[in-house]
Amino acid sequence: MRVRSSAAVSLLVLLLVLLGGGRAEAQAVRVEAGGGWAIPSTEVDVSVEGRDRPAAINPGSGPSGYAAVGLRRTLTDDLSLDVRVRAQQAQLRVGSDDISLGRCAGACPEGRLRALSLEGQLHLTSVGRIAPYFLVGLGVVRTTIDATRIEAGANTFQLGETDVTDAGGNVGFGAALRLVDGLSLTAETRVAGSLPGGKENAVTTFPFTLGLSYTIGGE
């Protein structure tokens, strides 16, 4: 719960800076999209028909994509702040070796992590064409893994479906390389998904992504 409170306080501070007065000026609208690779860090316990004990699924890494839109505000000559809404999806790959009880009887299940968050990014703009930034966000995350049948020796079992919606968040850092006026290449790494202390079977991932952002308005 302390981690959830710290993330909430950090995002609140960013929002207060953006929406407060002072020298800050609303400057531009920024849109961004990209993708990369996400590594999950959480096992999922799935119910097994006819058995009291669940089966453990250890989902593997897979492709991840995102899209975001928000406002950019100049704070000082050295700093700018983005506040935006970000939607993302990561594929959770499951193979026969990822299931503790047995092997897939046919096709293995598909898994997905979807998230929607309100995110703040604090950019250091005084170092030339490359602007490093820190990010934090809060929102909602949904983890799904399809039901499937598995073979364990001479027996066949039905695994249940996983569908968990929980509070989620993002924490990470990255850098934006200005290509031409208004257009930038972004590279970042973050922790995304369910917050520590969340619901059972809610998954957290580590996405590594590249994206393109376009700023509408003067810089």
Side-chain angles (χ1 to χ4, degrees):
M1 296 303 292
R2 288 184 178 179
V3 175
R4 292 188 179 213
S5 298
S6 298
V9 170
S10 298
L11 184 58
L12 179 60
V13 170
L14 289 177
L15 290 174
L16 289 175
V17 172
L18 177 69
L19 299 175
R23 297 176 55 191
E25 295 182 3
Q27 186 168 318
V29 174
R30 181 173 172 233
V31 295
E32 183 177 347
W37 203 254
I39 303 172
S41 66
T42 312
E43 284 191 348
V44 177
D45 291 328
V46 180
S47 62
V48 183
E49 186 178 298
R51 291 174 61 98
D52 294 332
R53 298 183 61 182
I57 292 180
N58 185 20
S61 59
S64 175
Y66 71 92
V69 60
L71 297 176
R72 165 164 291 184
R73 172 168 277 191
T74 300
L75 303 180
T76 69
D77 292 338
D78 301 324
L79 296 173
S80 68
L81 179 65
D82 290 6
V83 172
R84 61 187 194 162
V85 175
R86 185 180 191 270
Q88 66 185 60
Q89 175 172 305
Q91 182 177 351
L92 307 175
R93 293 182 168 178
V94 179
S96 287
D97 294 338
D98 300 318
I99 303 174
S100 64
L101 185 61
R103 300 182 61 84
C104 302
C108 286
E110 294 185 358
R112 292 159 297 277
L113 183 145
R114 299 184 178 97
L116 183 68
S117 62
L118 178 64
E119 179 177 290
Q121 293 187 351
L122 188 63
H123 292 246
L124 179 62
T125 57
S126 61
V127 291
R129 293 181 61 192
I130 298 178
Y133 60 86
F134 166 78
L135 65 94
V136 61
L138 289 174
V140 62
V141 60
R142 183 183 182 188
T143 301
T144 59
I145 297 179
D146 297 339
T148 190
R149 296 186 67 81
I150 62 170
E151 297 174 346
N155 299 316
T156 302
F157 299 97
Q158 176 70 41
L159 298 188
E161 179 186 22
T162 298
D163 192 340
V164 180
T165 301
D166 195 15
N170 298 271
V171 177
F173 60 89
L177 171 64
R178 188 170 68 251
L179 302 176
V180 296
D181 288 344
L183 184 66
S184 297
L185 174 68
T186 61
E188 66 178 39
T189 180
R190 64 173 64 206
V191 181
S194 180
L195 299 173
K199 294 181 180 179
E200 183 180 358
N201 288 340
V203 173
T204 297
T205 61
F206 296 87
F208 302 86
T209 58
L210 291 174
L212 287 174
S213 68
Y214 185 70
T215 303
I216 304 170
E219 297 220 353

